[in-house]
Amino acid sequence: MKKLSWIASGWACALLLVLPILALLFSALSADGDLFAHLADTVLSTYLANTLLLVLGVVLLSLLFGVPTAWLVAMCQVPGRRALQWALMLPMAMPSYIVAYVYTDLFDYSGSVQAGLRALFGWQSPADYWFPAIRSLGGAAWVLALVLFPYVYLLARASFLEQSVSLIHSSRLLGSSPWQSFRRISLPLARPAIMVAVSLVAMETLADFATVHFFAINTLTTAVYDTWLGYGSLATAAKLSCLMLLAVVLLIAFERRSRTRQQVFQKSMGHEPPLRYPLKGGLRWLAGFWCWGLVLVGFALPFAILLDYGVRYFALSWTPEFVRFAGNSLLISTLTALLAMGVALLLGFFRRLDGGIKSLIPLRLAALGYAMPGTVLAIGVLVPLTALDFGINDVAQWFGLEGPGLLLTGTLTAIVFGYLVRFVAIAIGSVESSLGKISPSLDMAARTLGQGAGGMLRRVHLPLVRRGLFAGAMLVFIESMKELPAALLLRPFNFETLATHVYQFVSDEMLERGALGAIVIVLVGLLPLIWVNRSLDSQGH
């Protein structure tokens, strides 16, 4: 009976977490297709084209920034290489809409760069010179690539470090130059890792709302947001969300297919002294300029401007409202992290108790939400919770009682549930990895000593997985602090988080008032990067 209760709890939890996806598909098949047909006849093709071009642009720029940088840091003696190993990950902590505002303020027509050029050369109007428009599809792709290229850098660098040095030495003995060794050996061997990074970059680009909305670029993400809040059509928003969900599924399928078609096995992988190509003269300084330039434009310059705004406008920013919004973010993120810990531990232990292939299904179902963009997930959460709210009020009226109103969608329930569906996969992965390192003999010993499933979890597994459990909870907490699209759609009335607070000022082009909140978000986002760098540090030396 006790094992049956674990099975029932595991499946119930997994089905609850997959409910938004099922509700989204069901709502997309419902009626109210007039608005969707109108969008299909008028602007849907523009949304699709802009989304495709944006994804392609961000992916290509991320490859251009990430792959050469990863190879230089992993395989060459670049100036400041030890510091570059972690510095090149810093742009991941910077929200893309903050970077968008900073560079719009610098490069727009009224910005300091163009104003300085006009003063220097005596230009009077835009007709006198040409300057690339930052508020464009290309500008959005450039900004997103500055924030997302560390995905490519991180995975490609790890792959280069794991490659067998003997293969590269053999290619050099056969007359290949360092460039030819990179093109013929290192790059093909790193292709599976690079494809994983490309899929992550593409999914993050699909999920981005704030940057494209700030640049007034119509993509599928903004279409979902505008259709729900502008037209009030949940069914049409669900149909558009399904298009994005289909794109995500295709990206995942493409990434997995690209990996299965290439299998490479290396001898002595990771057990050889690292290879470092010496760079001399201008080539050495060019490589250093390229790598440190990416750190400068991707993180250092935007963060320096944020610090300047934060200091100068501290008195205006540090208000009771700011403290309340920070408390809201702290509360929601903490609740989400605690629930994610409980769900991950439940599903992971259920998988360990059962051990069969069927017990893996709840784990995979519960993790599906991580692949969903925030706006799509929000629509999927709103559909069932809104139906439950109406049902609860109808039942109350049937009994002659006053309905409780928006009991679920008008409280923290919706936003916490949405965050949990989106980020529980992080905690599941961390707990699953920690449980996999525990020897089955410990389970048998606990059984021999008369411990049931609950006692075995409490006295054996929980002490051994607490570090992985804490790491997963920390990552869920940080991602919840940064989440914006889901918060915009799921937050209760008159409720703000730090992310929505900062974005409101960015939308009004008043970043200086929201700089303090942005600094807090960036500093919190640095924590997982420090952890990742420490885990790779032994490989990078």
Side-chain angles (χ1 to χ4, degrees):
M1 288 299 295
K2 290 184 177 180
K3 184 176 180 180
L4 184 62
S5 65
W6 281 99
I7 295 174
S9 300
W11 276 99
C13 201
L15 292 176
L16 181 64
L17 292 173
V18 83
L19 180 62
I21 300 177
L22 300 177
L24 185 70
L25 297 174
F26 177 78
S27 182
L29 296 175
S30 63
D32 191 22
D34 293 341
L35 179 58
F36 183 81
H38 173 69
L39 293 176
D41 292 337
T42 54
V43 295
L44 185 57
S45 59
T46 302
Y47 291 154
L48 290 171
N50 286 344
T51 302
L52 179 62
L53 290 174
L54 182 65
V55 170
L56 288 176
V58 174
V59 165
L60 291 176
L61 286 173
S62 297
L63 289 173
L64 176 64
F65 296 159
V67 175
T69 306
W71 187 75
L72 286 171
V73 172
M75 307 296 291
C76 302
Q77 296 177 0
V78 183
R81 185 185 63 82
R82 291 283 295 273
L84 277 172
Q85 290 179 155
W86 59 266
L88 282 163
M89 295 188 288
L90 293 178
M92 293 177 68
M94 187 68 63
S96 59
Y97 53 92
I98 300 295
V99 180
Y101 178 88
V102 167
Y103 285 113
T104 298
D105 193 48
L106 285 175
F107 294 120
D108 212 2
Y109 179 75
S110 58
S112 56
V113 173
Q114 291 201 53
L117 290 175
R118 289 195 297 272
L120 181 63
F121 294 103
W123 295 328
Q124 301 297 323
S125 68
D128 297 333
Y129 69 100
W130 177 85
F131 197 87
I134 186 67
R135 291 182 181 268
S136 62
L137 190 64
W142 182 70
V143 166
L144 287 171
L146 284 179
V147 175
L148 297 177
F149 86 87
Y151 283 107
V152 178
Y153 159 76
L154 187 61
L155 294 179
R157 172 181 163 243
S159 179
F160 290 143
L161 290 171
E162 291 173 352
Q163 291 175 9
S164 175
V165 176
S166 60
L167 290 176
I168 301 175
H169 282 311
S170 299
S171 69
R172 299 302 309 278
L173 290 174
L174 292 173
S176 295
S177 64
W179 161 247
Q180 290 173 329
S181 295
F182 165 74
R183 182 170 57 86
R184 295 175 180 176
I185 296 178
S186 297
L187 189 58
L189 289 175
R191 194 179 72 179
I194 292 173
M195 291 308 302
V196 173
V198 164
S199 67
L200 290 173
V201 169
M203 285 191 286
E204 289 292 332
T205 305
L206 277 173
D208 180 80
F209 165 77
T211 305
V212 293
H213 192 262
F214 179 72
F215 281 157
I217 299 170
N218 293 319
T219 63
L220 285 176
T221 309
T222 60
V224 171
Y225 184 83
D226 294 338
T227 302
W228 169 230
L229 293 186
Y231 295 100
S233 176
L234 197 58
T236 304
K239 289 180 172 63
L240 293 171
S241 298
C242 285
L243 289 178
M244 295 186 65
L245 195 59
L246 177 62
V248 170
V249 171
L250 291 176
L251 282 171
I252 295 174
F254 172 73
E255 179 266 322
R256 290 185 177 178
R257 179 174 174 79
S258 68
R259 280 191 290 163
T260 56
R261 294 178 63 184
Q262 182 186 43
Q263 294 185 0
V264 179
F265 303 96
Q266 305 176 58
K267 294 182 179 180
S268 305
M269 185 178 68
H271 299 288
E272 301 166 306
L275 174 67
R276 297 278 183 265
Y277 290 117
L279 299 178
K280 299 179 181 179
L283 193 60
R284 173 181 171 85
W285 295 110
L286 181 62
F289 176 79
W290 171 260
C291 295
W292 284 108
L294 287 173
V295 177
L296 175 66
V297 298
F299 179 82
L301 180 59
F303 191 65
I305 292 174
L306 282 181
L307 286 177
D308 178 57
Y309 285 157
V311 172
R312 288 195 289 132
Y313 294 91
F314 181 83
L316 289 175
S317 301
W318 186 261
T319 62
E321 289 78 15
F322 173 82
V323 176
R324 187 173 74 252
F325 300 155
N328 291 341
S329 291
L330 182 64
L331 174 62
I332 292 173
S333 302
T334 302
L335 287 174
T336 305
L338 291 175
L339 289 171
M341 285 172 60
V343 170
L345 198 58
L346 170 65
L347 293 175
F349 190 64
F350 163 57
R351 163 68 174 157
R352 188 174 182 88
L353 279 179
D354 188 277
I357 190 65
K358 291 182 180 179
S359 62
L360 188 62
I361 298 175
L363 276 173
R364 299 298 173 252
L365 288 177
L368 286 176
Y370 190 63
M372 296 177 67
T375 49
V376 174
L377 176 67
I379 298 300
V381 168
L382 284 171
V383 171
L385 294 190
T386 302
L388 282 174
D389 270 337
F390 282 126
I392 292 171
N393 283 274
D394 290 342
V395 170
Q397 291 178 4
W398 187 78
F399 281 104
L401 302 174
E402 184 179 356
L406 300 177
L407 185 63
L408 300 176
T409 55
T411 63
L412 294 182
T413 304
I415 191 169
V416 171
F417 180 57
Y419 282 13
L420 179 63
V421 174
R422 178 114 163 82
F423 301 124
V424 72
I426 301 173
I428 289 175
S430 182
V431 171
E432 193 177 8
S433 175
S434 296
L435 283 173
K437 297 175 183 177
I438 300 176
S439 173
S441 61
L442 291 177
D443 295 15
M444 292 184 282
R447 293 287 194 187
T448 303
L449 294 173
Q451 294 294 322
M456 186 166 58
L457 173 63
R458 185 176 65 256
R459 298 183 179 182
V460 178
H461 294 86
L462 195 55
L464 293 174
V465 303
R466 64 179 183 272
R467 181 170 296 181
L469 195 62
F470 174 76
M474 181 189 72
L475 292 175
V476 171
F477 176 87
I478 292 166
E479 290 296 329
S480 300
M481 287 284 291
K482 295 164 56 179
E483 176 62 23
L484 177 65
L488 287 172
L489 287 171
L490 296 175
R491 58 182 172 161
F493 296 113
N494 298 321
F495 185 89
E496 299 281 350
T497 65
L498 274 183
T500 60
H501 169 69
V502 172
Y503 179 68
Q504 187 60 51
F505 282 117
V506 171
S507 299
D508 297 336
E509 301 194 5
M510 297 171 59
L511 177 60
E512 57 274 7
R513 293 288 303 275
L516 189 60
I519 291 171
V520 173
I521 293 174
V522 172
L523 292 179
V524 170
L526 288 176
L527 295 177
L529 300 184
I530 297 172
W531 177 68
V532 169
N533 180 67
R534 289 184 63 183
S535 67
L536 290 176
D537 196 47
S538 59
Q539 287 182 308
H541 290 172

